[in-house]
Amino acid sequence: MFRFLVLALVLVNSVYFAWSQGLLQTFGFAPVQQTEPQRMGQQIKPDALRVLTAQDLRLTETAARVAARPAECLQAGVFDEAQGAVLRRTLESALPAGSWTLDAVVEPARWIVYMGKYTNAEALAKKRSELASLNLKFEPLTNPELGLGLSLGGFETQAAANAALDAFSRRGVRTARVVQERAEVGGVMLRLPAVDDTLRTRLDALTPVLAGKALSPCQ
């Protein structure tokens, strides 16, 4: 009996081996073929595939974000007649034609609610501390002739500045007054309507002729 079982096991194994190797295909018995060689012909440039490291992936993502950055409109000014003339010459040589304009503008007068002048930096710091205790904000001055001093806000008309001064007085401010920080100024405004990545690389050439005025998003 044991000998019969051994022979049966050997026979079953032999049949399975022949089936798995396709030796019984002529009798209609064969395993399903798992390979699909036709897919090899459908591959597109398989030699171009490569495995990216984590650093490669970060660089690729960064490059994609930079490439996708849209063009933006930038402006700077106002420039007076002499500044505008120097700027125009630089623009004509540094940037492509049609990528910039110099538009005539009038910058309105500016009135401020002013506190000062103070005798020294210590007195100025003391006044800033007092304003902070009243929850009042101050802003930097653009007219150097008014330093050492503080501005509680800028306005386009003297009437608007006077109204603000009355409001500050009701909040405990006693020594402020309205002064004209800047008179009406005519000049030109630089406008770059579509600054893309190519144009951005050329903007450094403008820095020396911008008279300290920074490029900012168009308004």
Side-chain angles (χ1 to χ4, degrees), residues 31-43:
V32 178
Q33 296 293 324
Q34 300 297 325
T35 60
E36 299 184 31
Q38 68 274 14
R39 292 190 177 183
M40 296 295 292
Q42 297 175 356
Q43 293 185 3

Coordinates of all heavy atoms in Angstrom, one line a residue, residues 31-43:
P31 N -0.5 26.0 -18.7 CA -0.9 27.1 -17.9 C -1.1 28.4 -18.7 O -0.6 28.5 -19.8 CB 0.4 27.3 -17.0 CG 1.5 26.7 -17.8 CD 0.9 25.6 -18.5
V32 N -1.9 29.3 -18.2 CA -2.1 30.6 -18.9 C -0.8 31.4 -18.9 O -0.1 31.6 -17.9 CB -3.2 31.4 -18.2 CG1 -3.4 32.8 -18.9 CG2 -4.5 30.6 -18.2
Q33 N -0.4 31.9 -20.1 CA 0.8 32.7 -20.2 C 0.6 34.1 -19.5 O -0.4 34.8 -19.8 CB 1.1 32.9 -21.7 CG 1.5 31.6 -22.4 CD 2.8 31.0 -21.9 OE1 3.7 31.7 -21.6 NE2 2.8 29.7 -21.9
Q34 N 1.5 34.4 -18.6 CA 1.4 35.7 -17.9 C 2.2 36.8 -18.6 O 2.0 38.0 -18.2 CB 2.0 35.5 -16.5 CG 1.3 34.4 -15.7 CD -0.2 34.8 -15.4 OE1 -0.5 36.0 -15.3 NE2 -1.1 33.8 -15.4
T35 N 3.0 36.5 -19.5 CA 3.8 37.6 -20.2 C 3.0 38.2 -21.3 O 2.1 37.5 -21.9 CB 5.1 37.0 -20.8 OG1 4.8 36.0 -21.7 CG2 6.0 36.4 -19.7
E36 N 3.2 39.5 -21.5 CA 2.5 40.2 -22.6 C 3.5 41.0 -23.4 O 3.7 42.2 -23.2 CB 1.4 41.2 -22.0 CG 0.4 40.5 -21.2 CD -0.7 41.4 -20.7 OE1 -1.0 42.4 -21.4 OE2 -1.3 41.2 -19.6
P37 N 4.2 40.3 -24.3 CA 5.3 41.0 -25.0 C 4.8 42.1 -25.9 O 5.6 43.0 -26.2 CB 5.8 39.8 -25.9 CG 4.7 38.8 -26.0 CD 4.0 38.9 -24.7
Q38 N 3.5 42.2 -26.2 CA 3.0 43.3 -27.1 C 3.1 44.6 -26.3 O 3.2 45.7 -27.0 CB 1.6 43.1 -27.5 CG 0.5 43.1 -26.4 CD 0.4 41.8 -25.7 OE1 1.2 40.9 -25.8 NE2 -0.7 41.6 -24.9
R39 N 3.1 44.6 -25.0 CA 3.3 45.9 -24.2 C 4.6 46.5 -24.4 O 4.8 47.7 -24.2 CB 3.0 45.6 -22.8 CG 1.5 45.3 -22.5 CD 1.2 45.3 -21.0 NE -0.2 45.0 -20.7 CZ -0.7 45.1 -19.5 NH1 0.0 45.3 -18.5 NH2 -2.0 44.8 -19.3
M40 N 5.6 45.7 -24.6 CA 7.0 46.2 -24.8 C 7.0 47.2 -26.0 O 7.7 48.2 -26.0 CB 8.0 45.1 -25.0 CG 8.1 44.2 -23.8 SD 8.8 45.0 -22.4 CE 10.5 45.3 -23.0
G41 N 6.3 46.8 -27.0 CA 6.2 47.7 -28.2 C 5.5 49.0 -28.0 O 5.6 49.9 -28.8
Q42 N 4.6 49.0 -26.9 CA 3.8 50.2 -26.7 C 4.6 51.2 -25.8 O 4.1 52.3 -25.5 CB 2.5 49.8 -26.0 CG 1.7 48.9 -26.9 CD 0.4 48.5 -26.2 OE1 0.2 48.7 -25.0 NE2 -0.5 47.8 -26.9
Q43 N 5.7 50.9 -25.2 CA 6.4 51.8 -24.4 C 7.0 53.0 -25.1 O 7.4 52.8 -26.3 CB 7.6 51.0 -23.7 CG 7.1 50.0 -22.7 CD 8.3 49.4 -21.9 OE1 9.4 49.8 -22.1 NE2 8.0 48.4 -21.1

